[in-house]
Amino acid sequence: MIERQEGKTAGVVIFRLSGPFTARSMYECMPPAALENLLRIQSGPEEALSALNILDLTAVPYMDSMGLGTIVRHYVHCKGKRVQFVAAGASPRVMELFLSAHQGVVVRP
């Protein structure tokens, strides 16, 4: 499950993930288009461009390659829009997946 909330500081968006982040769990609660819309840097045209996206992984025990790909795509999208991206709180198991895919730069333990 992914929850999007505005940070206490303007321009900060926090995405809190909970539970396994796998292909199956990702789309159990929302269709692919809804997930894509949730991860947009701007949720609507009236919303200002965020300066920082924080991905909180503290409640994610594990993920598969689909979850990894979703996070990496979001990271690349943020980088292209010059939005700072921080993924933090990864468990050792999740961190190992990022490192084995040579994506250690994307996430911090």
Side-chain angles (χ1 to χ4, degrees), residues 9-25:
T9 305
V12 176
V13 178
I14 302 166
F15 297 96
R16 296 191 194 284
L17 281 70
S18 60
F21 196 52
T22 63
R24 182 178 188 170
S25 66

Side-chain angles (χ1 to χ4, degrees), residues 55-73:
L55 196 62
D56 180 358
L57 300 171
T58 54
V60 177
Y62 62 91
M63 69 175 61
D64 65 6
S65 60
M66 184 81 156
L68 173 73
T70 299
I71 292 171
V72 170
R73 274 192 309 281

Side-chain angles (χ1 to χ4, degrees), residues 5 7 9 14 16 21 27-28 30 35 37 39 45 54 56 59 63-64 66 74 80 89 95-96 98-99 102 109:
Q5 70 181 69
T9 305
I14 302 166
R16 296 191 194 284
F21 196 52
Y27 302 124
E28 279 182 344
M30 66 180 71
L35 177 63
N37 286 336
L39 291 174
I54 300 171
D56 180 358
M63 69 175 61
D64 65 6
M66 184 81 156
H74 186 63
M95 193 67 198
E96 182 60 35
F98 277 89
L99 293 174
H102 304 287

Side-chain angles (χ1 to χ4, degrees), residues 24-109:
R24 182 178 188 170
S25 66
M26 223 182 291
Y27 302 124
E28 279 182 344
C29 58
M30 66 180 71
L35 177 63
E36 186 177 316
N37 286 336
L38 182 69
L39 291 174
R40 286 182 191 236
I41 292 175
Q42 293 173 284
S43 60
E46 70 286 346
E47 184 183 352
L49 188 66
S50 63
L52 172 63
N53 279 7
I54 300 171
L55 196 62
D56 180 358
L57 300 171
T58 54
V60 177
Y62 62 91
M63 69 175 61
D64 65 6
S65 60
M66 184 81 156
L68 173 73
T70 299
I71 292 171
V72 170
R73 274 192 309 281
H74 186 63
Y75 166 76
V76 170
H77 183 67
C78 287
K79 193 171 181 178
K81 297 286 186 179
R82 299 183 190 269
V83 173
Q84 186 179 2
F85 175 88
V86 176
S91 69
R93 186 173 179 182
V94 170
M95 193 67 198
E96 182 60 35
L97 177 65
F98 277 89
L99 293 174
S100 68
H102 304 287
Q103 298 298 321
V105 68
V106 175
V107 68
R108 298 177 187 145

